[in-house]
Amino acid sequence: MTSPSPVDVPHPLGSPHPALVVRTVAVPVTRVGHLLALLPEPEDAGDIVSWVRKGEGLVGWGRVATFRATGADRFERAQAWWRDVTAEAIVRDDVDEPGTGPIAFGSMAYSRRSETESVLVVPEVVVGRRGDLAWITTTTTDSTVPPADEPLTAQPGPRDPGEVTFVDRDLSAERWAGAVDEAVARISTGDLDKVVLARAVQATAQQRIDPRWLLTRLVEDYDTTWVFAVDGLVGATPEMLVRLERGLVTSRVLAGTIRRTGDDSHDLALAGSLARSSKDLEEHEYAVRSVADALTAHTSSINVPETPFVLHLNNVMHLATDVAGVVRDGSTSLALAASLHPSAAVCGTPTTDADAVIAELEQMDRGRYAGPVGWMDASGDGEWGIALRCGWYDNPQSLRLYAGCGIVAGSVAEDEVAESVAKLMPMRSALGG
């Protein structure tokens, strides 16, 4: 299949662009196999997309259309562009399920002040799997309907990037600990209730880092997370910011963390202490409240469990709460993600005060770390996680890795540094470190 030239539209009111021609057909699940194994070796890390969990989800490659924007109105402009693109698209969808037909993968910058562009990408080929259902969507800007017989064959595996070195970026661990102490002091004086501080580590390999190498290892080690890749941002997030499917919205809130030891009996005791920890319960309550308040404005009914459960991941355990509701105002999944961002889980409380402290103390641009990442179809259904446990390509051999911790009155800098190290482990281990 010949790749069409990508259509890069900087804003919805820009120059006219060719209409997308989209076709989705069902395929036997046996033809799909392991989704990530279908991804071809990309010339650029940003040329493949992934949203995979427990063997299901979506992968894609190639680019037919791309949207980019910065600023406070980046979500609104992205929605307007997608609405414009899908309104003009010529679609033949033989499956008609969430995630079929026209689909865009997105990664939004955390801050309105960020110089990093928020991105929506429409791949040339998307392969999806949900349960016993599998499909392939092909998209072109040609005047003819794309063929339905796109070959689905396992590709040669990615190469090992070789030895990888890790160094602190904007702040050393020691200086970042000082920032944590300063944040605790401001919380103690009543300036704010909670703030999430992040730090970054630079990973540099001997050879090119194939994003498929990272994705494959993340899926193997963290199969309960959503393993994602969008425009050079790669990671494995445990946090579903928002899922919208046929009017039902759900959001998983994670806040309050403890590192696992690898000893099952000890970890069980640690899970019990996490569930009783006043510091972690306080942090979690702020995060749940921020999500519930934001969704209430869009829903006719909402369910918020009274107590969290402990979510066990390979490296850490989190306090978790699943919030659910029925959307009453026709909001798209991206609009709901925008209303939830930034939640207390990645920013703090009150939001405006915490965001100002982040800008002052972190001394870095988060880029698309901690911003919404996921996908949306033409109906507005989709899934958006928070871009956590991730890395962003600086160049083919180097990524910036990020980790953040929620700081409240009872936080201890040494413990927060240890927590950040635990949260960096998924990407470090995927790289071989």
Side-chain angles (χ1 to χ4, degrees):
M1 185 175 190
T2 302
S3 300
S5 300
V7 181
D8 199 341
V9 183
H11 55 80
L13 301 180
S15 57
H17 55 85
L20 301 186
V21 183
V22 185
R23 186 175 185 188
T24 299
V25 297
V27 295
V29 172
T30 52
R31 281 189 62 196
V32 172
H34 195 305
L35 285 170
L36 293 177
L38 300 174
L39 290 171
E41 181 177 1
E43 292 185 9
D44 181 88
D47 290 340
I48 61 173
V49 292
S50 168
W51 186 259
V52 174
R53 181 175 184 265
K54 293 186 174 181
E56 300 185 358
L58 303 160
V59 296
W61 56 90
R63 288 179 187 245
V64 178
T66 306
F67 168 85
R68 300 181 184 275
T70 59
D73 63 347
R74 61 200 183 284
F75 286 95
E76 292 79 6
R77 291 170 62 192
Q79 286 194 90
W81 178 82
W82 183 234
R83 188 165 54 245
D84 178 48
V85 168
T86 54
E88 297 177 3
I90 302 167
V91 181
R92 178 175 170 182
D93 184 352
D94 297 341
V95 180
D96 193 26
E97 290 286 336
T100 67
I103 183 170
F105 290 77
S107 175
M108 310 300 288
Y110 168 81
S111 174
R112 66 186 184 282
R113 297 181 294 266
S114 177
E115 296 181 359
T116 302
E117 293 176 316
S118 297
V119 180
L120 292 182
V121 176
V122 181
E124 179 186 352
V125 180
V126 173
V127 182
R129 178 175 179 176
R130 180 188 295 185
D132 295 330
L133 178 66
W135 65 90
I136 180 170
T137 298
T138 48
T139 303
T140 75
T141 54
D142 297 335
S143 58
T144 56
V145 175
D149 57 351
E150 178 74 24
L152 293 176
T153 56
Q155 301 292 313
R159 291 185 292 273
D160 188 324
E163 184 178 352
V164 182
T165 59
F166 302 89
V167 296
D168 290 331
R169 272 188 56 89
D170 311 87
L171 292 178
S172 66
E174 182 179 0
R175 291 180 62 198
W176 188 77
V180 171
D181 284 333
E182 175 61 23
V184 172
R186 297 190 188 190
I187 291 169
S188 299
T189 59
D191 291 351
L192 68 164
D193 298 317
K194 173 191 173 182
V195 64
V196 179
L197 293 182
R199 56 184 291 243
V201 169
Q202 193 77 32
T204 304
Q206 290 179 316
Q207 303 176 41
R208 175 177 176 268
I209 303 171
D210 189 326
R212 301 175 304 158
W213 172 268
L214 298 172
L215 294 171
T216 301
R217 290 164 70 92
L218 288 169
V219 161
E220 290 173 351
D221 294 339
Y222 301 93
D223 64 340
T224 59
T225 66
W226 289 267
V227 175
F228 63 87
V230 180
D231 196 56
L233 186 73
V234 180
T237 181
E239 189 149 358
M240 175 62 71
L241 180 64
V242 64
R243 173 190 288 116
L244 178 64
E245 184 170 334
R246 306 189 190 282
L248 178 64
V249 58
T250 56
S251 179
R252 170 163 289 184
V253 183
L254 304 183
T257 305
I258 195 167
R259 189 170 184 172
R260 297 189 68 166
T261 66
D263 181 288
D264 289 343
S265 60
H266 190 195
D267 285 346
L268 189 61
L270 288 175
S273 67
L274 178 64
R276 295 187 300 271
S277 166
S278 57
K279 177 261 184 188
D280 291 291
L281 288 169
E282 178 187 12
E283 179 187 345
H284 190 78
E285 182 183 354
Y286 289 133
V288 172
R289 190 186 309 156
S290 72
V291 168
D293 289 347
L295 288 181
T296 296
H298 300 280
T299 55
S300 57
S301 61
I302 190 167
N303 177 56
V304 183
E306 293 183 2
T307 57
F309 64 93
V310 177
L311 177 67
H312 295 250
L313 301 177
N314 285 18
N315 59 325
V316 295
M317 293 176 285
H318 296 289
L319 291 179
T321 295
D322 289 333
V323 179
V326 178
V327 174
R328 60 171 172 77
D329 61 1
S331 294
T332 67
S333 58
L334 184 56
L336 293 169
S339 72
L340 291 168
H341 179 76
S343 73
V346 295
C347 179
T349 307
T351 302
T352 302
D353 297 330
D355 193 46
V357 170
I358 287 170
E360 178 187 351
L361 297 184
E362 281 187 353
Q363 299 184 38
M364 69 175 184
D365 184 345
R366 289 186 175 186
R368 289 184 268 135
Y369 163 73
V373 60
W375 61 271
M376 178 170 61
D377 63 20
S379 72
D381 284 356
E383 295 178 312
W384 296 87
I386 301 178
L388 305 173
R389 318 296 195 271
C390 63
W392 180 32
Y393 277 83
D394 274 332
N395 60 61
Q397 292 179 231
S398 186
L399 289 89
R400 305 181 197 184
L401 313 183
Y402 298 91
C405 301
I407 312 303
V408 294
S411 296
V412 177
E414 182 181 359
D415 295 340
E416 301 303 333
V417 171
E419 181 178 322
S420 73
V421 171
K423 289 178 175 177
L424 286 166
M425 280 307 298
M427 289 300 295
R428 289 189 63 139
S429 60
L431 284 162

